[in-house]
Amino acid sequence: MRDYLLTLCVTAAVTYLLTGPVRKFAIATGAMPEIRARDVHREPTPRLGGIAMFFGLCAGLLVADHLQNLSSVFELSNEPRALLSGAALIWLVGVLDDKFELDALIKLGAQMISAGVMVVQGLTILWLPIPGVGTVALTQWQGTLLTVALVVLTINAVNFVDGLDGLAAGMVCIAAAAFFLYAYRMWYGLTIEAAAPATLFAAILMGMCLGYLPHNMHPARIFMGDSGSMLIGLILAASAISITGQVDPDLLEIFEGSTKAATHAALPVFIPLVLPLTIIAIPMADLVLAIVRRTWKGQSPFAADRGHLHHRLLEIGHSHSRAVLIMYFWSALIAFGTLAYSVHSTSMWIVLAVVVLSAVGLVLLLLPRFSPRAPRWAQAVVPPRYRRRAYRLRTEGARAGVQGAGSDTDTDAETASDATAEASSDATSDTDADAGSGSAEERDHEPVPAGVNGATAIGHRSRFSDRSKAGARG
């Protein structure tokens, strides 16, 4: 475990330290595309964060190769080299896309070729465990097609969810943490050496995301771009392929006794074998809904829009940070709930905890639909946003009266002014709310401030009025 933690920390440190220089490089090379209709941020923000993440991957693999307990992974398996080859290819294509905006079909072809490169070097699905049947060996073509499909689906699911500051990196980090715990349990607890590469990949992926997140949290100073989102999606898929297609289920001794008994005994084991699909359940659902939505409208499945799950969270009234935290919550609930069930499938407390937390998540999800107001007796102790308007007016009027006690006329005028300002503020907020509920097309054509600081605040807030000020700060 110490070696894995050391690898994780080195990967995170290299990624964190390189992200700052990479941001300056992206600004210098003009890798800051104009605001698109589907974007949430309102100021041009540099991309190419995937460069720092890729060098973090290289540093993690290099350190692991020189550690005594992890060097055997490179000696007994070719999977780390296969991962690095596929990651380098998809990363190069992502860098070009961040700079020159490549066509979607070109990126899709690059994803398939990257998956093929890993398959050629041995990182492929060899068999599938099926409950009630046992281990089913796959032909070379079946394994190749299934591997390529899993890689492409995972990459695009992560790419689709990369729409808010810190969202994709945080969700993948949660997924990698849950996957690391499961893979480490198979490798160390069940002494299955074939699970060692997947454990290493998950630890490195966590380090990449943790090192990048401080620069990408709201307001983000840099975006990972496709060079980062496709890279972490490929590593997540490679971890799933390694542990699902390379680990022999017979080593788990789950196919003993009758077929029915073996099926029930294998249930908690089969669930984590598809853990990467469950931990990206939300991005995968977003991907499927986007394809159906665009096809239903007669559009291309690759056409961008503002109908993703994170966009809808913003539309119903959640702030940027709250929308990201809600997505984190659901990802962690699905990932760690599945992991806990795989360890103690007979415990009803796990099911009860998941149900209770799901109810809490639904309440948080619907929170903007409610505008709670404290009772009259609690007006003085609750935050101002929960106070009734009449109480706020009365309090501000009394405060104005104390400050202007020397002149009754001034006091009345000041109180009236405060009341007028409050009413004007309420009217303005109502107008803004109505405007916010308008069509996405109308909001997309709002004037965009020209800043380069990397903030991605929603609305009309802008820290700089011109590019010179922004450049001075950056």
Side-chain angles (χ1 to χ4, degrees), residues 238-271:
S239 303
I241 294 168
S242 175
I243 204 167
T244 304
Q246 303 288 330
V247 175
D248 188 354
D250 291 337
L251 297 176
L252 304 178
E253 298 180 355
I254 57 178
F255 297 117
E256 295 181 353
S258 64
T259 302
K260 183 178 180 180
T263 302
H264 287 288
L267 181 60
V269 179
F270 285 120
I271 292 179

Side-chain angles (χ1 to χ4, degrees), residues 38-378:
R38 68 178 185 272
D39 289 335
V40 175
H41 61 284
R42 286 292 176 262
E43 298 178 9
T45 305
R47 295 185 182 178
L48 295 179
I51 295 179
M53 302 178 80
F54 177 76
F55 283 105
L57 167 67
C58 296
L61 291 175
L62 182 62
V63 169
D65 190 21
H66 289 79
L67 294 177
Q68 181 178 0
N69 294 328
L70 298 182
S71 59
S72 59
V73 177
F74 297 83
E75 296 172 358
L76 303 177
S77 173
N78 198 43
E79 293 181 16
R81 300 175 184 84
L83 171 67
L84 185 59
S85 301
L89 178 58
I90 200 68
W91 171 72
L92 287 174
V93 175
V95 170
L96 293 176
D97 179 68
D98 291 340
K99 174 60 179 176
F100 302 107
E101 294 285 345
L102 301 180
D103 186 75
L105 292 178
I106 295 179
K107 292 189 291 184
L108 180 61
Q111 296 168 10
M112 299 175 68
I113 294 175
S114 300
V117 168
M118 294 193 299
V119 169
V120 170
Q121 300 187 60
L123 187 55
T124 182
I125 299 177
L126 301 177
W127 48 66
L128 284 178
I130 300 179
V133 177
T135 303
V136 177
L138 301 178
T139 64
Q140 182 178 359
W141 280 106
Q142 290 174 340
T144 300
L145 292 177
L146 190 58
T147 302
V148 171
L150 182 60
V151 171
V152 172
L153 282 175
T154 307
I155 289 176
N156 285 280
V158 175
N159 195 17
F160 271 47
V161 83
D162 185 24
L164 297 180
D165 297 348
L167 182 58
M171 293 182 67
V172 171
C173 185
I174 293 171
F179 193 78
F180 172 80
L181 293 176
Y182 173 70
Y184 183 79
R185 177 173 175 265
M186 293 187 67
W187 174 71
Y188 184 78
L190 302 178
T191 65
I192 300 177
E193 291 293 334
T199 311
L200 176 62
F201 297 163
I204 292 177
L205 183 56
M206 273 195 295
M208 294 167 60
C209 295
L210 290 175
Y212 172 74
L213 269 174
H215 298 273
N216 190 236
M217 295 303 292
H218 183 69
R221 293 176 56 81
I222 186 173
F223 293 155
M224 69 171 67
D226 282 359
S227 60
S229 62
M230 292 196 298
L231 175 64
I232 61 179
L234 181 136
I235 298 175
L236 184 62
S239 303
I241 294 168
S242 175
I243 204 167
T244 304
Q246 303 288 330
V247 175
D248 188 354
D250 291 337
L251 297 176
L252 304 178
E253 298 180 355
I254 57 178
F255 297 117
E256 295 181 353
S258 64
T259 302
K260 183 178 180 180
T263 302
H264 287 288
L267 181 60
V269 179
F270 285 120
I271 292 179
L273 287 179
V274 292
L275 188 62
L277 297 181
T278 62
I279 55 188
I280 60 169
I282 294 178
M284 196 67 71
D286 195 12
L287 171 64
V288 174
L289 291 175
I291 294 176
V292 173
R293 180 178 62 252
R294 294 166 184 174
T295 306
W296 183 266
K297 294 180 179 179
Q299 301 174 346
S300 169
F302 302 103
D305 58 16
R306 291 176 59 95
H308 295 292
L309 296 177
H310 49 271
H311 290 142
R312 297 187 181 277
L313 288 176
L314 297 177
E315 289 176 359
I316 65 176
H318 288 289
S319 64
H320 192 295
S321 299
R322 187 189 294 173
V324 172
L325 291 177
I326 288 176
M327 298 286 280
Y328 284 178
F329 174 84
W330 284 104
S331 297
L333 180 61
I334 295 174
F336 289 99
T338 304
L339 180 65
Y341 183 76
S342 70
V343 178
H344 299 287
S345 60
T346 59
S347 176
M348 290 302 298
W349 288 104
I350 296 176
V351 178
L352 181 61
V354 171
V355 171
V356 172
L357 291 175
S358 299
V360 173
L362 289 176
V363 172
L364 295 176
L365 189 65
L366 300 175
L367 194 59
R369 297 297 186 185
F370 306 98
S371 55
R373 290 292 180 266
R376 297 184 183 278
W377 56 269

Side-chain angles (χ1 to χ4, degrees), residues 42-43 448-451 453 455 457-466:
R42 286 292 176 262
E43 298 178 9
V448 177
N453 64 311
I458 302 173
H460 299 285
R461 288 189 298 130
S462 177
R463 299 181 183 178
F464 308 111
S465 58
D466 55 50

